[in-house]
Amino acid sequence: MFSELNLLGVLFSPFAAMMLAAWLMTVPLIMLGNRTGLSRTVWHPALFNLAIYVIVLSLTVLSIGAGS
């Protein structure tokens, strides 16, 4: 079970930390997609980036949840 994170007396949901970690992992993937030209081949690049973020976030939650 996940417990709250205490940051200077403020309690945060562990999901907030996972969202931040997933965003930090997604940014290099988006940059890689832009450099390789992948963003020009998809229909809606912003929607594609959101889908990549959701996939990385779900993998992060599943991997942390499976470890506990």
Side-chain angles (χ1 to χ4, degrees), residues 1-5 13-15 18 61 64-68:
M1 191 72 186
F2 300 120
S3 62
E4 288 84 13
L5 303 172
S13 169
F15 189 67
M18 290 181 218
V61 170
I64 291 175
S68 59

Side-chain angles (χ1 to χ4, degrees), residues 29-30 35-36 38 40 45 48 62:
L29 291 174
I30 292 172
R35 284 193 183 181
T36 59
L38 180 65
R40 288 186 300 232
F48 183 74
L62 286 174

Side-chain angles (χ1 to χ4, degrees), residues 4-13 16-17 20:
E4 288 84 13
L5 303 172
N6 187 357
L7 183 65
L8 300 173
V10 179
L11 295 176
F12 287 98
S13 169
L20 179 64

Side-chain angles (χ1 to χ4, degrees), residues 3-64:
S3 62
E4 288 84 13
L5 303 172
N6 187 357
L7 183 65
L8 300 173
V10 179
L11 295 176
F12 287 98
S13 169
F15 189 67
M18 290 181 218
M19 288 173 60
L20 179 64
W23 177 251
L24 292 175
M25 288 185 273
T26 303
V27 169
L29 291 174
I30 292 172
M31 291 172 58
L32 181 68
N34 289 336
R35 284 193 183 181
T36 59
L38 180 65
S39 62
R40 288 186 300 232
T41 61
V42 296
W43 172 70
H44 200 291
L47 195 59
F48 183 74
N49 292 342
L50 176 67
I52 295 294
Y53 173 70
V54 169
I55 290 168
V56 171
L57 178 61
S58 63
L59 290 173
T60 303
V61 170
L62 286 174
S63 65
I64 291 175

